[in-house]
Amino acid sequence: MTSAQSAVDTGEYKVFKGARVLWPPDCPDNILEEAIRKTHELLKVHNIKTDGAKIVQALKEHLDVTFEKSWHVVMGKNFGCYSVHEMRRFLFFYIDAYAFLMYKACLLYTSPSPRDRQKSRMPSSA
């Protein structure tokens, strides 16, 4: 059964696995399901009002290990975000009154500028 088949429509969000998910999600089903599962698991162990930082850190670490590094996790009640992320690696859902935003950042490589090749003007700490 796909996530589209098991979701219940509630406007631009669909209820899926106990979360109101921004639909359609911009990630594969397995990532969406695992992120929601892990979030529910952490909410059973931690108090969302006092342990928010622990929840977010645990989610980030779990996503980094399970789906490769460079995940970012934001949790809160009222926030906005503009981000550059890898294609098909963006999730946004609510559990109760709390929103969870998870995305995998694009790793960009830029060559050093000529200024970076100059000696530092800062005194050495050695």
Side-chain angles (χ1 to χ4, degrees), residues 22-51:
L22 181 64
W23 210 263
D26 189 16
C27 67
D29 288 350
N30 66 319
I31 294 176
L32 177 63
E33 289 176 15
E34 183 59 19
I36 292 171
R37 184 202 66 76
K38 185 65 175 179
T39 303
H40 280 300
E41 177 184 300
L42 289 166
L43 292 175
K44 288 178 184 174
V45 177
H46 296 286
N47 181 330
I48 197 165
K49 292 180 181 178
T50 59
D51 297 334

Side-chain angles (χ1 to χ4, degrees), residues 2-125:
T2 68
S3 54
Q5 292 169 335
S6 63
V8 178
D9 191 2
T10 59
E12 65 182 31
Y13 290 85
K14 288 188 179 184
V15 177
F16 178 72
K17 303 282 184 182
R20 285 183 299 127
V21 180
L22 181 64
W23 210 263
D26 189 16
C27 67
D29 288 350
N30 66 319
I31 294 176
L32 177 63
E33 289 176 15
E34 183 59 19
I36 292 171
R37 184 202 66 76
K38 185 65 175 179
T39 303
H40 280 300
E41 177 184 300
L42 289 166
L43 292 175
K44 288 178 184 174
V45 177
H46 296 286
N47 181 330
I48 197 165
K49 292 180 181 178
T50 59
D51 297 334
K54 289 179 185 177
I55 294 168
V56 168
Q57 182 177 355
L59 283 169
K60 186 232 181 317
E61 290 171 359
H62 180 73
L63 291 170
D64 281 348
V65 168
T66 309
F67 302 110
E68 297 181 350
K69 292 189 181 239
S70 300
W71 283 90
H72 298 264
V73 179
V74 179
M75 177 192 85
K77 285 189 172 183
N78 189 15
F79 63 87
C81 178
Y82 289 94
S83 68
V84 176
H85 57 84
E86 289 186 19
M87 210 161 76
R88 308 251 319 123
R89 297 295 183 269
F90 181 90
L91 302 88
F92 185 79
F93 58 87
Y94 284 91
I95 295 179
D96 298 326
Y98 287 87
F100 292 85
L101 168 67
M102 302 172 197
Y103 63 94
K104 188 172 181 190
C106 296
L107 296 177
L108 303 175
Y109 174 79
T110 58
S111 47
S113 73
R115 190 176 97 186
D116 293 336
R117 293 185 188 124
Q118 296 174 358
K119 285 190 175 185
S120 172
R121 293 178 292 194
M122 299 299 292
S124 173
S125 60

